[in-house]
Amino acid sequence: MIDTTAIHTVQNAFSRKHFNRVLLQIEHQAAITEKNPAGPVEEFRWLRECGALQLVLPGEPLDFNKPDTPALLRLLKDVGKANLSVGRIFEGHINTLYLIHLYAGNDQRDNWYRGVKEEGHIFGIWNTQGQDGITFNKNNNSLEIQGSKTFCSGATLVNRALITGNISCPERTGWQMAIIDMDGIDPEKIDRKSWKPLGMKASGSYTVNFSGYKVHENELLGEPGIYLNQPYFNGGAIRFAAVQLGGAEALSQATIRYLEELERTGDAFQQLRLSNMMSAVITGRMWLEQAGKYYDTWADDGNHNEELIAFANMTRVNIEEICLRVMEDCNRCVGARGLMEPYPMERIFRDLSFYLRQPAPDATRIKVAEFFINNPAAFND
Ligand SMILES: Cc1cc2nc3c(=O)[nH]c(=O)nc-3n(C[C@H](O)[C@H](O)[C@H](O)COP(=O)(O)OP(=O)(O)OC[C@H]3O[C@@H](n4cnc5c(N)ncnc54)[C@H](O)[C@@H]3O)c2cc1C
């Protein structure tokens, strides 16, 4: 994880201007970072310096207590546009802070928020697992973890990791969240050989073995089962969809720049494809904007969970289709010469193809269909 001992002096209040400069730096560095075994260490230092890590904490511009989800989604999209791997890790940080906002006790919240503000801590959220998934086991009076998580994005950068697993003891039974201090995990337990993906290499989404870690009571987040609470669980898909759309936006802009360089923008076939690509990207922005508005209106009212989840599911699958369409048109626009280094398209292409693979894509579409079969007049007003 990142050593944060020397960063106290460089934490600033969030500044959009500074943030925009950071996004340009992140974009310029993306090709180098992909090949850096340490991952996007500098990128997260820059994000910390411009106040982006604390952006959603109380009193900050996107304070979760005064939700502005459309603005949050635009910001996540912008980070994804600069570098999808950085966007993935940053989204995990924001997601974890949201679960803390929803479910932590006052002392826990103060402690974890202080870690972000004063120590520059990065949070991650790791739920995915294989056969040897996580269990929390009571040994005498202590609670000990057994098992591993897979796809741990930012495993070598994250300071506090929200992990989930089964707990079964007299006080607690079910799927429990805990926030682990990564200083307590031997770096050897992060399996660097476990990440040989098509794209998103810089996300360093390694397998981490947590066996032997002793969990303190104040590291347990919420009651067992609450992680899956709706509409927050499925409704949250709009955040990763926002990051994905950033990749499509980056591809379309890189395509225009490439065609300009080759003086091919006057060609009608190219223009037709550019028209399709840009329309698709703008459509994606509209999905996100409306999904954000519904989220702010409905997430906490308890009466519109089904509508909210259906809209989030539609947003997710439509953005997947949009990204696939943009990739195909980009591919045809730039051809083989454009799909190699030093042009950025080949990397973004690999990253986006891979990052689009999120859980249960078919089941999500089935859920959308079921919703409209049961509510044919939904979203009519
Ligand atoms: C870059 C990246 C970073 C990630 N980072 C994190 C992270 O930080 N934390 C985290 O918790 N997770 C993370 N994940 C994991 C992610 O949340 C998903 O678990 C993962 O992407 C799903 O992978 P999959 O495509 O193999 O899924 P699958 O669900 O296996 O889907 C593959 C295909 O199989 C189909 N399918 C699914 N179930 C069945 C079935 N029973 N029968 C038949 N077909 C089926 C699906 O519809 C789909 O067509 C990350 C993933 C990626 C790609």
Side-chain angles (χ1 to χ4, degrees), residues 34 83-85 151 195-205 346-356:
E34 188 190 30
N83 181 333
L84 279 166
S85 287
F151 286 96
W195 190 239
K196 292 177 182 159
L198 167 73
M200 298 295 279
K201 287 181 186 157
S203 74
S205 304
E346 62 88 26
R347 174 180 41 80
I348 303 171
F349 217 89
R350 285 185 285 107
D351 283 351
L352 188 55
S353 303
F354 192 70
Y355 190 40
L356 281 181

mmCIF file of all heavy atoms in Angstrom, residues 34 83-85 151 195-205 346-356:
data_model
loop_
_atom_site.group_PDB
_atom_site.id
_atom_site.type_symbol
_atom_site.label_atom_id
_atom_site.label_comp_id
_atom_site.label_asym_id
_atom_site.label_seq_id
_atom_site.Cartn_x
_atom_site.Cartn_y
_atom_site.Cartn_z
ATOM 1 N N GLU A 34 0.940 1.859 -17.326
ATOM 2 C CA GLU A 34 0.529 0.482 -17.618
ATOM 3 C C GLU A 34 1.700 -0.484 -17.464
ATOM 4 O O GLU A 34 1.528 -1.643 -17.097
ATOM 5 C CB GLU A 34 -0.035 0.394 -19.043
ATOM 6 C CG GLU A 34 -0.636 -0.955 -19.329
ATOM 7 C CD GLU A 34 -0.992 -1.166 -20.780
ATOM 8 O OE1 GLU A 34 -0.332 -0.586 -21.650
ATOM 9 O OE2 GLU A 34 -1.920 -1.945 -21.032
ATOM 10 N N ASN A 83 -7.807 7.635 -17.403
ATOM 11 C CA ASN A 83 -7.177 6.307 -17.316
ATOM 12 C C ASN A 83 -8.182 5.370 -16.634
ATOM 13 O O ASN A 83 -8.527 5.577 -15.465
ATOM 14 C CB ASN A 83 -5.872 6.383 -16.502
ATOM 15 C CG ASN A 83 -5.171 5.032 -16.392
ATOM 16 O OD1 ASN A 83 -5.810 3.975 -16.461
ATOM 17 N ND2 ASN A 83 -3.861 5.063 -16.207
ATOM 18 N N LEU A 84 -8.628 4.352 -17.353
ATOM 19 C CA LEU A 84 -9.678 3.470 -16.813
ATOM 20 C C LEU A 84 -9.233 2.753 -15.543
ATOM 21 O O LEU A 84 -10.036 2.526 -14.632
ATOM 22 C CB LEU A 84 -10.114 2.461 -17.872
ATOM 23 C CG LEU A 84 -11.114 2.987 -18.917
ATOM 24 C CD1 LEU A 84 -11.212 2.035 -20.102
ATOM 25 C CD2 LEU A 84 -12.492 3.198 -18.305
ATOM 26 N N SER A 85 -7.955 2.387 -15.459
ATOM 27 C CA SER A 85 -7.489 1.683 -14.256
ATOM 28 C C SER A 85 -7.532 2.601 -13.042
ATOM 29 O O SER A 85 -7.944 2.189 -11.950
ATOM 30 C CB SER A 85 -6.051 1.176 -14.449
ATOM 31 O OG SER A 85 -6.040 0.078 -15.319
ATOM 32 N N PHE A 151 -9.532 -10.267 -7.746
ATOM 33 C CA PHE A 151 -9.877 -8.972 -8.370
ATOM 34 C C PHE A 151 -9.784 -7.816 -7.375
ATOM 35 O O PHE A 151 -10.666 -6.955 -7.340
ATOM 36 C CB PHE A 151 -11.304 -8.996 -8.939
ATOM 37 C CG PHE A 151 -11.481 -9.788 -10.205
ATOM 38 C CD1 PHE A 151 -11.921 -11.099 -10.166
ATOM 39 C CD2 PHE A 151 -11.231 -9.211 -11.445
ATOM 40 C CE1 PHE A 151 -12.108 -11.833 -11.338
ATOM 41 C CE2 PHE A 151 -11.414 -9.927 -12.626
ATOM 42 C CZ PHE A 151 -11.854 -11.249 -12.569
ATOM 43 N N TRP A 195 -2.457 -11.663 -11.834
ATOM 44 C CA TRP A 195 -3.095 -10.624 -12.654
ATOM 45 C C TRP A 195 -2.393 -10.527 -13.996
ATOM 46 O O TRP A 195 -1.394 -9.828 -14.128
ATOM 47 C CB TRP A 195 -3.057 -9.276 -11.899
ATOM 48 C CG TRP A 195 -3.871 -8.179 -12.491
ATOM 49 C CD1 TRP A 195 -3.419 -6.956 -12.920
ATOM 50 C CD2 TRP A 195 -5.276 -8.167 -12.729
ATOM 51 N NE1 TRP A 195 -4.459 -6.193 -13.395
ATOM 52 C CE2 TRP A 195 -5.607 -6.914 -13.294
ATOM 53 C CE3 TRP A 195 -6.317 -9.093 -12.527
ATOM 54 C CZ2 TRP A 195 -6.920 -6.568 -13.653
ATOM 55 C CZ3 TRP A 195 -7.616 -8.747 -12.885
ATOM 56 C CH2 TRP A 195 -7.912 -7.508 -13.435
ATOM 57 N N LYS A 196 -2.911 -11.330 -14.980
ATOM 58 C CA LYS A 196 -2.348 -11.286 -16.336
ATOM 59 C C LYS A 196 -3.489 -11.049 -17.315
ATOM 60 O O LYS A 196 -3.804 -11.902 -18.150
ATOM 61 C CB LYS A 196 -1.626 -12.599 -16.641
ATOM 62 C CG LYS A 196 -0.386 -12.754 -15.786
ATOM 63 C CD LYS A 196 0.297 -14.077 -16.013
ATOM 64 C CE LYS A 196 1.497 -14.200 -15.097
ATOM 65 N NZ LYS A 196 1.917 -15.568 -14.889
ATOM 66 N N PRO A 197 -4.157 -9.902 -17.204
ATOM 67 C CA PRO A 197 -5.376 -9.665 -17.971
ATOM 68 C C PRO A 197 -5.116 -9.110 -19.368
ATOM 69 O O PRO A 197 -4.005 -8.660 -19.668
ATOM 70 C CB PRO A 197 -6.086 -8.614 -17.121
ATOM 71 C CG PRO A 197 -4.959 -7.827 -16.532
ATOM 72 C CD PRO A 197 -3.812 -8.763 -16.337
ATOM 73 N N LEU A 198 -6.161 -9.107 -20.184
ATOM 74 C CA LEU A 198 -6.124 -8.467 -21.508
ATOM 75 C C LEU A 198 -5.828 -6.978 -21.369
ATOM 76 O O LEU A 198 -5.011 -6.415 -22.099
ATOM 77 C CB LEU A 198 -7.498 -8.660 -22.176
ATOM 78 C CG LEU A 198 -7.790 -7.824 -23.419
ATOM 79 C CD1 LEU A 198 -6.998 -8.341 -24.603
ATOM 80 C CD2 LEU A 198 -9.279 -7.827 -23.733
ATOM 81 N N GLY A 199 -6.515 -6.331 -20.454
ATOM 82 C CA GLY A 199 -6.344 -4.892 -20.230
ATOM 83 C C GLY A 199 -6.479 -4.595 -18.746
ATOM 84 O O GLY A 199 -6.523 -5.508 -17.924
ATOM 85 N N MET A 200 -6.535 -3.291 -18.398
ATOM 86 C CA MET A 200 -6.656 -2.860 -16.989
ATOM 87 C C MET A 200 -5.487 -3.365 -16.142
ATOM 88 O O MET A 200 -5.623 -3.600 -14.948
ATOM 89 C CB MET A 200 -7.985 -3.342 -16.383
ATOM 90 C CG MET A 200 -9.200 -2.792 -17.062
ATOM 91 S SD MET A 200 -9.360 -1.004 -16.889
ATOM 92 C CE MET A 200 -10.070 -0.860 -15.259
ATOM 93 N N LYS A 201 -4.317 -3.518 -16.811
ATOM 94 C CA LYS A 201 -3.160 -4.034 -16.058
ATOM 95 C C LYS A 201 -2.821 -3.115 -14.892
ATOM 96 O O LYS A 201 -2.466 -3.573 -13.806
ATOM 97 C CB LYS A 201 -1.945 -4.149 -16.993
ATOM 98 C CG LYS A 201 -2.097 -5.296 -17.950
ATOM 99 C CD LYS A 201 -0.913 -5.460 -18.879
ATOM 100 C CE LYS A 201 -1.272 -6.552 -19.878
ATOM 101 N NZ LYS A 201 -0.525 -6.474 -21.122
ATOM 102 N N ALA A 202 -2.924 -1.795 -15.144
ATOM 103 C CA ALA A 202 -2.506 -0.834 -14.113
ATOM 104 C C ALA A 202 -3.430 -0.837 -12.897
ATOM 105 O O ALA A 202 -3.097 -0.246 -11.872
ATOM 106 C CB ALA A 202 -2.440 0.573 -14.708
ATOM 107 N N SER A 203 -4.592 -1.507 -13.013
ATOM 108 C CA SER A 203 -5.476 -1.554 -11.831
ATOM 109 C C SER A 203 -4.914 -2.526 -10.786
ATOM 110 O O SER A 203 -5.387 -2.548 -9.650
ATOM 111 C CB SER A 203 -6.907 -1.951 -12.218
ATOM 112 O OG SER A 203 -6.989 -3.330 -12.533
ATOM 113 N N GLY A 204 -3.921 -3.326 -11.157
ATOM 114 C CA GLY A 204 -3.279 -4.249 -10.209
ATOM 115 C C GLY A 204 -4.290 -4.992 -9.358
ATOM 116 O O GLY A 204 -4.198 -4.988 -8.131
ATOM 117 N N SER A 205 -5.243 -5.650 -10.034
ATOM 118 C CA SER A 205 -6.351 -6.290 -9.285
ATOM 119 C C SER A 205 -5.966 -7.720 -8.867
ATOM 120 O O SER A 205 -6.535 -8.714 -9.338
ATOM 121 C CB SER A 205 -7.629 -6.286 -10.145
ATOM 122 O OG SER A 205 -7.938 -4.974 -10.547
ATOM 123 N N GLU A 346 -5.075 1.542 -28.848
ATOM 124 C CA GLU A 346 -4.950 0.100 -28.570
ATOM 125 C C GLU A 346 -5.036 -0.184 -27.060
ATOM 126 O O GLU A 346 -5.671 -1.139 -26.635
ATOM 127 C CB GLU A 346 -3.671 -0.482 -29.193
ATOM 128 C CG GLU A 346 -2.346 0.073 -28.703
ATOM 129 C CD GLU A 346 -1.803 -0.652 -27.490
ATOM 130 O OE1 GLU A 346 -2.129 -1.833 -27.301
ATOM 131 O OE2 GLU A 346 -1.055 -0.013 -26.718
ATOM 132 N N ARG A 347 -4.433 0.696 -26.253
ATOM 133 C CA ARG A 347 -4.475 0.479 -24.800
ATOM 134 C C ARG A 347 -5.894 0.705 -24.263
ATOM 135 O O ARG A 347 -6.417 -0.112 -23.497
ATOM 136 C CB ARG A 347 -3.480 1.413 -24.091
ATOM 137 C CG ARG A 347 -3.573 1.360 -22.570
ATOM 138 C CD ARG A 347 -2.575 2.289 -21.903
ATOM 139 N NE ARG A 347 -2.458 3.573 -22.575
ATOM 140 C CZ ARG A 347 -3.335 4.572 -22.420
ATOM 141 N NH1 ARG A 347 -4.353 4.442 -21.618
ATOM 142 N NH2 ARG A 347 -3.171 5.702 -23.093
ATOM 143 N N ILE A 348 -6.509 1.800 -24.701
ATOM 144 C CA ILE A 348 -7.863 2.089 -24.198
ATOM 145 C C ILE A 348 -8.813 0.962 -24.628
ATOM 146 O O ILE A 348 -9.687 0.540 -23.874
ATOM 147 C CB ILE A 348 -8.365 3.462 -24.714
ATOM 148 C CG1 ILE A 348 -7.388 4.569 -24.306
ATOM 149 C CG2 ILE A 348 -9.758 3.755 -24.183
ATOM 150 C CD1 ILE A 348 -7.672 5.925 -24.948
ATOM 151 N N PHE A 349 -8.600 0.494 -25.861
ATOM 152 C CA PHE A 349 -9.389 -0.616 -26.389
ATOM 153 C C PHE A 349 -9.298 -1.849 -25.483
ATOM 154 O O PHE A 349 -10.291 -2.463 -25.106
ATOM 155 C CB PHE A 349 -8.806 -0.973 -27.760
ATOM 156 C CG PHE A 349 -9.833 -1.374 -28.752
ATOM 157 C CD1 PHE A 349 -10.447 -0.425 -29.549
ATOM 158 C CD2 PHE A 349 -10.189 -2.705 -28.883
ATOM 159 C CE1 PHE A 349 -11.408 -0.803 -30.463
ATOM 160 C CE2 PHE A 349 -11.141 -3.079 -29.788
ATOM 161 C CZ PHE A 349 -11.751 -2.133 -30.589
ATOM 162 N N ARG A 350 -8.057 -2.204 -25.121
ATOM 163 C CA ARG A 350 -7.869 -3.381 -24.252
ATOM 164 C C ARG A 350 -8.493 -3.142 -22.885
ATOM 165 O O ARG A 350 -9.183 -3.999 -22.334
ATOM 166 C CB ARG A 350 -6.370 -3.696 -24.097
ATOM 167 C CG ARG A 350 -5.744 -4.347 -25.317
ATOM 168 C CD ARG A 350 -4.298 -4.754 -25.053
ATOM 169 N NE ARG A 350 -3.374 -3.628 -25.050
ATOM 170 C CZ ARG A 350 -2.802 -3.101 -23.975
ATOM 171 N NH1 ARG A 350 -3.040 -3.602 -22.775
ATOM 172 N NH2 ARG A 350 -1.971 -2.085 -24.076
ATOM 173 N N ASP A 351 -8.231 -1.933 -22.351
ATOM 174 C CA ASP A 351 -8.757 -1.623 -21.012
ATOM 175 C C ASP A 351 -10.289 -1.669 -20.996
ATOM 176 O O ASP A 351 -10.893 -2.278 -20.107
ATOM 177 C CB ASP A 351 -8.300 -0.221 -20.564
ATOM 178 C CG ASP A 351 -6.847 -0.198 -20.105
ATOM 179 O OD1 ASP A 351 -6.253 -1.281 -19.976
ATOM 180 O OD2 ASP A 351 -6.319 0.906 -19.869
ATOM 181 N N LEU A 352 -10.880 -1.031 -21.986
ATOM 182 C CA LEU A 352 -12.344 -0.940 -21.978
ATOM 183 C C LEU A 352 -12.983 -2.309 -22.236
ATOM 184 O O LEU A 352 -13.961 -2.681 -21.570
ATOM 185 C CB LEU A 352 -12.803 0.108 -23.015
ATOM 186 C CG LEU A 352 -14.280 0.467 -23.001
ATOM 187 C CD1 LEU A 352 -14.756 0.924 -21.617
ATOM 188 C CD2 LEU A 352 -14.585 1.571 -24.029
ATOM 189 N N SER A 353 -12.414 -3.069 -23.200
ATOM 190 C CA SER A 353 -12.963 -4.418 -23.468
ATOM 191 C C SER A 353 -13.014 -5.216 -22.173
ATOM 192 O O SER A 353 -13.986 -5.896 -21.871
ATOM 193 C CB SER A 353 -12.074 -5.223 -24.421
ATOM 194 O OG SER A 353 -11.886 -4.548 -25.600
ATOM 195 N N PHE A 354 -11.934 -5.116 -21.398
ATOM 196 C CA PHE A 354 -11.836 -5.926 -20.190
ATOM 197 C C PHE A 354 -12.718 -5.373 -19.071
ATOM 198 O O PHE A 354 -13.423 -6.119 -18.383
ATOM 199 C CB PHE A 354 -10.360 -5.991 -19.748
ATOM 200 C CG PHE A 354 -10.108 -7.022 -18.706
ATOM 201 C CD1 PHE A 354 -10.177 -8.376 -19.018
ATOM 202 C CD2 PHE A 354 -9.816 -6.670 -17.408
ATOM 203 C CE1 PHE A 354 -9.963 -9.342 -18.046
ATOM 204 C CE2 PHE A 354 -9.598 -7.624 -16.431
ATOM 205 C CZ PHE A 354 -9.676 -8.964 -16.757
ATOM 206 N N TYR A 355 -12.691 -4.052 -18.922
ATOM 207 C CA TYR A 355 -13.439 -3.453 -17.808
ATOM 208 C C TYR A 355 -14.961 -3.546 -18.009
ATOM 209 O O TYR A 355 -15.727 -3.490 -17.048
ATOM 210 C CB TYR A 355 -13.002 -1.993 -17.612
ATOM 211 C CG TYR A 355 -13.544 -1.386 -16.338
ATOM 212 C CD1 TYR A 355 -13.604 -2.130 -15.156
ATOM 213 C CD2 TYR A 355 -13.982 -0.071 -16.299
ATOM 214 C CE1 TYR A 355 -14.097 -1.586 -14.000
ATOM 215 C CE2 TYR A 355 -14.483 0.483 -15.133
ATOM 216 C CZ TYR A 355 -14.539 -0.281 -13.987
ATOM 217 O OH TYR A 355 -15.038 0.258 -12.833
ATOM 218 N N LEU A 356 -15.369 -3.717 -19.268
ATOM 219 C CA LEU A 356 -16.817 -3.874 -19.509
ATOM 220 C C LEU A 356 -17.355 -5.177 -18.928
ATOM 221 O O LEU A 356 -18.550 -5.340 -18.740
ATOM 222 C CB LEU A 356 -17.121 -3.842 -21.016
ATOM 223 C CG LEU A 356 -17.143 -2.471 -21.669
ATOM 224 C CD1 LEU A 356 -17.472 -2.608 -23.155
ATOM 225 C CD2 LEU A 356 -18.135 -1.536 -21.003
#
